[in-house]
Amino acid sequence: MKETAIEVRNLCIRYKGLKSYSIKKSLLHLKRNRVDEFEAVKHVSFQVPEGNILGIIGKNGSGKSTLLNAIAGIFAPDCGEIDLKGHSVSLLSIGVGFQKELSGRENILLSGMLLGFTEQEVQEKADEIIAFAEIGEFIDAPVRTYSSGMYSKLAFSITAILETDIMLVDEILSVGDSKFKKKSYNKMKELISNEKRTVIIVSHSMETLKDLCDEILWLHEGEVRMHGETESVLKAYEEFMN
């Protein structure tokens, strides 16, 4: 029996937003702000054994990325628990983790240290990260000047080279030019071949999930619709979507 690497118990994530109304009413205190609450993840529970690759599917708005962000520690649960059993974790996701005014080189250091590596450990891997990213002189330009493809290349490279126990991947394998897609896909397969590394992949690509995943979690409107062996869950999902 494999040890559990990730355990999610009764997880709920809610978003709160203010209903808009006129500035005049606000200034005159004629009406209090009405707070709307949206529950993106609803009492979700599952476990991932160490070394397994879990794919997460669901239509847009089903709570996939919210769940991944919660596991990464970016969002705090409104109820429930997430137990990573002491493992280090990294999130590969477009738009998460970089300081836009800093250069790519500076963000490598910052991201690495946020992942729990020492400055020296990051510096020792920096040249390898830069070479893998293939963004040339832009490595010293502010990240706000990057295209989405360049951003994804650097984000992937940092997490691929600074290996953590748990990798969370949010659609990043589908971004970038075709050459880098193939390169990152092959690197991902190499990384997850480590029997100790646990991976969760959010993707709309059935082929990617079939090729890489041991099991699939299907989220629907924030709830677990199905969780089990890859082929059976994907078949049920495809039938539901058609």
Side-chain angles (χ1 to χ4, degrees):
M1 287 288 290
K2 293 182 179 180
E3 293 185 7
T4 299
I6 303 170
E7 185 172 2
V8 176
R9 297 184 291 269
N10 195 40
L11 182 69
C12 301
I13 305 287
R14 302 184 187 98
Y15 294 116
K16 294 179 180 178
L18 295 176
K19 274 284 188 182
S20 62
Y21 64 106
S22 74
I23 295 174
K24 181 179 178 181
K25 286 182 178 179
S26 176
L27 292 174
L28 296 175
H29 306 288
L30 295 179
K31 184 179 179 182
R32 285 182 173 273
N33 282 14
R34 177 181 162 191
V35 178
D36 275 0
E37 190 171 80
F38 169 70
E39 195 165 23
V41 176
K42 307 171 184 175
H43 304 285
V44 167
S45 298
F46 64 93
Q47 295 182 5
V48 186
E50 186 178 74
N52 270 32
I53 304 159
L54 172 71
I56 301 180
I57 56 170
K59 63 182 183 179
N60 290 336
S62 60
K64 304 184 301 295
S65 294
T66 299
L67 174 59
L68 222 58
N69 277 281
I71 296 171
I74 296 170
F75 295 161
D78 290 288
C79 72
E81 295 178 299
I82 300 169
D83 187 355
L84 302 182
K85 311 296 181 182
H87 294 107
S88 57
V89 61
S90 58
L91 172 64
L92 276 167
S93 178
I94 298 300
V96 174
F98 286 163
Q99 294 295 313
K100 301 250 170 126
E101 296 303 318
L102 298 181
S103 69
R105 192 183 301 273
E106 290 167 328
N107 269 292
I108 290 173
L109 181 60
L110 177 62
S111 297
M113 293 178 73
L114 288 173
L115 288 174
F117 295 92
T118 66
E119 182 176 353
Q120 182 178 345
E121 287 171 333
V122 180
Q123 294 287 12
E124 287 172 356
K125 294 281 189 178
D127 288 344
E128 188 178 354
I129 292 168
I130 292 167
F132 193 95
E134 298 178 350
I135 59 174
E137 63 188 22
F138 283 97
I139 195 65
D140 291 307
V143 166
R144 61 177 167 74
T145 65
Y146 287 15
S147 66
S148 61
M150 291 165 59
Y151 196 109
S152 69
K153 284 181 176 184
L154 184 58
F156 183 90
S157 301
I158 290 170
T159 307
I161 305 303
L162 297 175
E163 301 176 20
T164 54
D165 302 321
I166 297 171
M167 293 180 65
L168 310 174
V169 184
D170 191 358
E171 287 290 0
I172 200 167
L173 293 178
S174 63
V175 180
D177 56 77
S178 57
K179 179 184 174 185
F180 193 80
K181 279 183 191 176
K182 184 175 180 181
K183 178 179 175 179
S184 60
Y185 191 80
N186 289 335
K187 182 65 175 178
M188 176 60 66
K189 293 190 77 168
E190 175 191 325
L191 289 170
I192 64 182
S193 66
N194 183 335
E195 62 182 22
K196 291 290 186 182
R197 181 165 292 111
T198 307
V199 183
I200 298 180
I201 300 174
V202 166
S203 180
H204 288 288
S205 169
M206 297 294 107
E207 291 305 312
T208 295
L209 297 174
K210 284 177 184 175
D211 186 31
L212 298 179
C213 299
D214 301 303
E215 53 184 325
I216 301 291
L217 179 74
W218 173 8
L219 286 181
H220 182 69
E221 296 182 356
E223 299 178 302
V224 176
R225 181 75 175 252
M226 191 174 179
H227 181 199
E229 185 268 330
T230 297
E231 190 170 340
S232 60
V233 179
L234 290 182
K235 182 180 178 182
Y237 178 69
E238 287 179 316
E239 290 174 354
F240 174 81
M241 294 298 288
N242 290 331

